[in-house]
Amino acid sequence: MDLTTTYLGLTLRSPLVPSAAAPLTEHIDNVKKMEDAGAGAIVLHSLFEEQLLREKFELHHHLTYGTESFAEALTYFPEPDEFHVGPELYLEHIREAKSAVSIPIIASLNGYSPGGWVEYAQLMQEAGADALELNVYYVPTDLNMSGAEVEQNYLNILREVKAEVSIPVAVKLGPYFSNMANMAKQLDDTGANGLVLFNRFMQPDINLDELEVEPHVLLSTPQAMRLPMRWIAILYGHLQADLASTGGVGKGHDAIKMLMVGAKAVQICSVLLRHGIEHISVLENEIKHWMEENEYESVAQMQGAMSQRHCPDPSAFERSQYMKAIENYHYEPHKAIV
């Protein structure tokens, strides 16, 4: 079975791509294990806007501390803009990963506002990243900010990053837009080479013992894959950008569904945190087995076959399916609802 796919202009030996998860990708040994297990590419853990801004602020503070003591002091140091600041360890990690494996390495830059921090994208490219995943993690809370302003913020960040690099840029975004289809088109028109659907925002929890709000990571479940699967099916064939799924894929059959609706790559994370990096090979074997049983010779033959464009019932991805689901649901009161 030919599992080869193309994503962001890169040829991947498999559509299975470990997504940006710090516990998995921050060690080079794990990166090697991912390649050995069959990963098509690897998205490194994210570098955050806050890290870059903090380092730049700290450098500026130390360079200018005491410089007003005498007239010539300001001339002793160049302006902070002339320094290449930022977490050098992340850049070194890109270099080491590129030296350690032969599959594509995708760097991840996580931010929420336009600004000077996006210049770091160029340093990632210079360090050897084959592509960049721009993870826009933004939860607007300003009551006076319109939906159009939120969308423009995404577009501005993408435009600034694209101005810094020549490598492909994918945008990982959440589903919370008034018109997801139009937002995808705007990102496509602005130059996104790929869209990763969807970012799953971490929801805070409350510690009742300490009466504090605290972060609480919940690994994704199969239910999480329904939303990206639906939108990939709807968007397939309408954009130049490649589509990748993320969230909820735990079995080979889940990955096949994503490919059938049009995904070029299937990002996986929670399943690896649960079962280990070696589980990539299990998913791959499940995909191959299904392809053999159903007489598919390649992933390319599968991609988009069940998208809205090619589905026998295109309305299945829209409102009519909702009504049908409600009409056909059978309630059995004697069974406990879990």
Side-chain angles (χ1 to χ4, degrees):
M1 300 294 106
D2 181 9
L3 298 187
T4 303
T5 186
T6 58
Y7 176 58
L8 304 179
L10 306 169
T11 300
L12 312 187
R13 71 185 190 186
S14 163
L16 298 174
V17 176
S19 62
L24 293 177
T25 61
E26 60 188 6
H27 300 295
I28 294 300
D29 286 345
N30 285 345
V31 172
K32 293 178 181 178
K33 288 178 182 178
M34 289 175 182
E35 180 182 45
D36 293 341
I42 297 171
V43 183
L44 298 181
H45 55 284
S46 293
L47 185 61
F48 290 84
E49 173 182 343
E50 290 85 348
Q51 292 174 267
L52 300 171
L53 294 179
R54 182 171 62 247
E55 289 218 356
K56 192 165 188 175
F57 173 80
E58 289 176 353
L59 178 63
H60 184 272
H61 168 74
H62 290 298
L63 291 182
T64 58
Y65 180 77
T67 54
E68 299 299 336
S69 300
F70 51 94
E72 294 85 359
L74 284 174
T75 65
Y76 286 172
F77 297 106
E79 284 299 308
D81 290 343
E82 296 178 26
F83 281 78
H84 294 293
V85 297
E88 289 297 324
L89 287 177
Y90 191 90
L91 297 178
E92 183 58 32
H93 191 63
I94 294 175
R95 298 186 191 101
E96 291 179 2
K98 283 296 297 177
S99 298
V101 298
S102 59
I103 58 178
I105 295 295
I106 302 173
S108 176
L109 191 57
N110 189 312
Y112 62 94
S113 65
W117 64 276
V118 301
E119 297 169 3
Y120 212 80
Q122 185 178 17
L123 297 180
M124 292 178 171
Q125 174 177 295
E126 293 172 358
D130 296 289
L132 176 64
E133 184 173 283
L134 179 57
N135 187 339
V136 184
Y137 193 105
Y138 181 53
V139 182
T141 58
D142 185 347
L143 298 180
N144 297 312
M145 178 177 279
S146 69
E149 290 176 287
V150 173
E151 294 178 1
Q152 192 59 50
N153 190 60
Y154 277 72
L155 301 175
N156 290 342
I157 296 173
L158 173 61
R159 189 175 291 110
E160 290 190 16
V161 169
K162 288 288 291 185
E164 295 291 332
V165 299
S166 58
I167 57 176
V169 176
V171 180
K172 186 175 184 178
L173 70 162
Y176 305 117
F177 297 96
S178 58
N179 185 346
M180 183 61 221
N182 179 260
M183 187 62 204
K185 182 180 184 301
Q186 289 188 73
L187 291 166
D188 190 42
D189 292 342
T190 305
N193 301 101
L195 299 180
V196 184
L197 310 181
F198 284 111
N199 204 340
R200 191 166 62 95
F201 297 137
M202 296 294 105
Q203 308 298 342
D205 199 359
I206 294 177
N207 185 322
L208 293 178
D209 295 324
E210 303 294 334
L211 293 182
E212 292 181 349
V213 177
E214 60 183 13
H216 189 191
V217 176
L218 295 173
L219 300 183
S220 67
T221 62
Q223 287 83 354
M225 66 177 284
R226 296 290 184 89
L227 186 61
M229 183 170 67
R230 179 189 195 185
W231 276 106
I232 290 173
I234 291 172
L235 295 173
Y236 177 80
H238 297 287
L239 307 174
Q240 294 296 318
D242 291 334
L243 299 170
S245 72
T246 182
V249 171
K251 298 180 179 179
H253 283 191
D254 299 334
I256 291 168
K257 291 176 183 179
M258 292 299 193
L259 296 170
M260 294 287 280
V261 294
K264 289 293 191 75
V266 179
Q267 294 194 7
I268 49 178
C269 177
S270 293
V271 65
L272 303 185
L273 291 172
R274 286 191 178 99
H275 303 294
I277 292 171
E278 295 77 9
H279 202 72
I280 297 173
S281 61
V282 175
L283 299 179
E284 180 178 305
N285 288 332
E286 290 174 352
I287 293 172
K288 287 181 177 179
H289 180 69
W290 186 90
M291 290 173 65
E292 185 175 1
E293 281 194 337
N294 291 272
E295 300 182 348
Y296 281 94
E297 297 180 356
S298 68
V299 162
Q301 186 182 359
M302 299 162 52
Q303 285 169 331
M306 287 296 295
S307 65
Q308 187 179 45
R309 172 170 283 194
H310 297 133
C311 183
D313 179 15
S315 67
F317 293 103
E318 298 177 358
R319 185 175 173 83
S320 65
Q321 191 74 354
Y322 161 72
M323 294 184 289
K324 184 185 294 185
I326 291 178
E327 290 172 357
N328 294 338
Y329 181 77
H330 180 60
Y331 171 57
E332 297 183 37
H334 63 281
K335 288 188 177 181
I337 298 176
V338 180

